Amino acid sequence: MPRPEELSSQRVEGRRCVWCGYGKPVVNLGRRVNVVDAALYVWNPQACLECVREQAAKTYGAHTATCAYCEPTLHCVEARALHALGHPTPAARVDASRGWRDDGRISLGGEERPSR
């Protein structure tokens, strides 16, 4: 996430995408608190869908490389959610809340079970 003091007022106020500064902000990234000039600064960044997908794809790579729960073929709920958001193609559809996988298997708590 960029630091608010480095952004234009439109990006800080959520009128432009926090990352690219051009896209229409359609995703609320949640309230953030930063220290700016020795004072707390509360802001609510917004982002365009293209940048959210790009950032999710980058975060997915970093997450799976460092997560204690992620394995080469099974990933934790957070990784599955990042993958679904960062790779929205038919081949990469994942229902992260239920643990569905593309190959018809369900991963629950690190074990695989065939879907019914």
Side-chain angles (χ1 to χ4, degrees):
M1 181 72 62
R3 298 190 48 80
E5 65 270 18
E6 299 168 354
L7 302 174
S8 69
S9 62
Q10 288 187 331
R11 290 166 77 177
V12 170
E13 295 166 4
R15 293 183 285 150
R16 295 280 184 206
C17 174
V18 70
W19 283 298
C20 72
Y22 300 104
K24 179 181 178 186
V26 295
V27 179
N28 182 336
L29 300 175
R31 182 168 289 183
R32 306 290 172 148
V33 179
N34 290 74
V35 177
V36 177
D37 296 328
L40 287 180
Y41 183 76
V42 180
W43 61 306
N44 194 25
Q46 310 279 322
C48 67
L49 192 53
E50 185 177 323
C51 284
V52 167
R53 287 181 174 155
E54 181 181 319
Q55 293 298 320
K58 288 178 184 177
T59 304
Y60 169 80
H63 174 89
T64 57
T66 59
C67 177
Y69 298 105
C70 288
E71 298 176 13
T73 58
L74 291 173
H75 299 299
C76 71
V77 172
E78 290 84 2
R80 291 192 302 264
L82 286 165
H83 188 273
L85 185 58
H87 304 88
T89 62
R93 277 180 280 159
V94 177
D95 181 349
S97 65
R98 294 180 181 222
W100 293 101
R101 294 168 38 124
D102 294 335
D103 57 8
R105 294 181 299 204
I106 302 171
S107 60
L108 300 171
E111 59 185 88
E112 292 184 28
R113 298 182 183 168
S115 61
R116 296 181 186 192

